[in-house]
Amino acid sequence: MCQQTAKPLINDKIVFHGAGSMAEAIVRGLIARSVIYADNIIMLNRSSNERLAELRSRYGVIGSNDPGQKEEYLRTSPVIVLAMKPKDAAAALRSLGPNLQDGQLIISVIAGLSIRTIQGLIGKKQPVVRTMPNTSSSIGLGATGISFSKEVSDEQRRLSLNIFEAIGLTSVIEEERMEILTGISGSGPAYIYYMMEAMIASGIRGGLSKEQSAELTVQTVLGAARMVQQTGEEPAALRKKVTSPGGSTQAALEVLDKGDFFETVIAAVSRCAERSREMGAALEAELSAETEKER
Ligand SMILES: NC(=O)C1=CN([C@@H]2O[C@H](COP(=O)(O)OP(=O)(O)OC[C@H]3O[C@@H](n4cnc5c(N)ncnc54)[C@H](O)[C@@H]3O)[C@@H](O)[C@H]2O)C=CC1
Ligand SMILES: O=C(O)[C@@H]1CCC=N1
């Protein structure tokens, strides 16, 4: 049971349909910010009781794998967050559809999956919010893109924004921009971690201890991000301030340029967006195949 006394911002029950990394990041962020009572959060997954037990003990949420209970939660909760992998989404949505009540809000975090395909797989014009968060939501520093279907009410719109604003920045966008947003902020943390891995490895190869190299790298990335945020200066202008003509930074940047760093990052973001579209198209194809069979 909950210890808080003040009424939290969110008082609706929220079911997480899928209890993996992204669902946990959102739940952790929401609970850390006390915007919802833990016992208003229900987490469901396909089969792992151990995983649900871990989430129950870590956050005090409700988690169940009992088929009857699962069905009841999904049928009655005003908000259902779809948080399974894209490959599992079609089957999950088909079985969810017949149990949904009119007006139950579906919030999806699934990469590539369009609002149209969600409604098609469910078989109803359910209100749908398509989002693309990232795992930094777990510490309240997420960045989430959000698009609404026209069935979403003003109240549901506010509720969805409350959820994601509580765990970071939100950006309401046209749905057709969701793939490029995925390339920047959904998958973006992985690129930064990759860069950090390389910087840490270089420090170690050069004789720093692992701890020193990691600590210096983390502070450098944190400081650079904060500098952009707090000075309001463009990254390019800040970069120039680090780069003395003929100095060591310029020498390093020349090596990055030789590897076509700038265009490589653009190509990676673009491939990420393309891959999201491919995953979306595969789900749409599953919907079309099903519709054909029914004819
Ligand atoms: N991990 C990330 O950084 C981000 C992930 N996403 C999206 O979040 C979704 C989940 O990704 P992760 O959490 O990384 O995956 P994950 O593999 O960690 O978690 C997926 C969960 O879904 C459950 N699941 C599978 N089929 C199910 C079903 N029929 N009913 C109920 N639960 C079911 C699995 O048991 C597992 O708990 C994906 O669609 C991904 O595109 C979006 C933004 C960022
Ligand atoms: O890799 C993926 O497909 C998901 C989507 C954004 C981050 N992770």
Side-chain angles (χ1 to χ4, degrees), residues 1-289:
M1 287 303 281
C2 238
Q3 302 299 311
Q4 293 113 314
T5 46
K7 200 171 175 222
L9 180 66
I10 300 164
N11 288 286
D12 295 286
K13 286 208 181 302
I14 303 180
V15 169
F16 284 80
H17 199 17
S21 325
M22 195 57 238
E24 182 173 3
I26 298 172
V27 166
R28 184 172 166 214
L30 290 174
I31 289 178
R33 265 146 197 81
S34 306
V35 289
I36 185 167
Y37 290 144
D39 49 13
N40 270 337
I41 294 179
I42 296 131
M43 302 191 75
L44 312 175
N45 70 5
R46 197 169 20 198
S47 54
S48 169
N49 285 321
E50 294 74 35
R51 171 68 177 156
L52 294 184
E54 180 183 271
L55 292 166
R56 280 197 305 262
S57 86
R58 209 173 276 165
Y59 305 106
V61 296
I62 294 170
S64 176
N65 253 329
D66 173 83
Q69 271 190 335
K70 263 166 124 168
E71 200 182 300
E72 177 70 7
Y73 288 132
L74 290 168
R75 204 174 48 75
T76 57
S77 169
V79 185
I80 298 169
V81 180
L82 301 175
M84 64 283 293
K85 290 283 190 203
K87 68 176 175 51
D88 297 314
L93 283 169
R94 278 206 199 91
S95 74
L96 181 65
N99 292 320
L100 286 177
Q101 315 293 308
D102 288 349
Q104 268 180 293
L105 178 64
I106 304 295
I107 299 179
S108 170
V109 304
I110 301 173
L113 179 60
S114 71
I115 291 173
R116 205 181 77 86
T117 307
I118 293 174
Q119 291 179 331
L121 288 163
I122 285 172
K124 288 179 196 163
K125 288 277 178 199
Q126 208 72 24
V128 176
V129 180
R130 177 174 171 190
T131 74
M132 177 46 59
N134 67 26
T135 46
S136 309
S137 303
S138 66
I139 55 161
L141 290 176
T144 304
I146 307 189
S147 301
F148 302 97
S149 80
K150 63 179 187 321
E151 294 78 13
V152 175
S153 70
D154 288 349
E155 202 182 322
Q156 289 173 326
R157 206 181 155 97
R158 188 63 259 158
L159 172 64
S160 323
L161 288 169
N162 283 346
I163 294 172
F164 291 98
E165 282 169 1
I167 53 177
L169 172 147
T170 59
S171 189
V172 175
I173 55 164
E174 294 295 325
E175 192 186 4
E176 65 201 33
R177 307 265 178 272
M178 199 57 92
E179 278 75 24
I180 190 67
L181 180 142
T182 304
I184 303 290
S185 54
S187 301
Y191 322 151
I192 307 296
Y193 297 139
Y194 202 25
M195 176 89 183
M196 291 172 79
E197 286 173 62
M199 287 170 70
I200 294 167
S202 327
I204 296 168
R205 282 190 207 175
L208 292 174
S209 72
K210 190 176 171 196
E211 292 67 33
Q212 287 167 328
S213 195
E215 195 176 65
L216 291 163
T217 299
V218 172
Q219 183 70 5
T220 301
V221 173
L222 187 67
R226 283 266 171 84
M227 281 290 282
V228 176
Q229 204 173 42
Q230 289 183 15
T231 63
E233 288 191 65
E234 295 287 332
L238 291 166
R239 171 169 55 83
K240 286 193 184 115
K241 289 184 185 171
V242 187
T243 314
S244 317
S248 59
T249 312
Q250 187 181 327
L253 292 172
E254 281 167 8
V255 174
L256 287 177
D257 278 343
K258 248 195 216 156
D260 219 358
F261 179 77
F262 194 87
E263 289 304 322
T264 302
V265 172
I266 291 175
V269 169
S270 162
R271 176 63 192 126
C272 178
E274 183 186 36
R275 180 67 196 133
S276 302
R277 277 190 288 275
E278 287 167 6
M279 295 190 297
L283 284 158
E284 202 174 332
E286 287 201 49
L287 169 63
S288 310

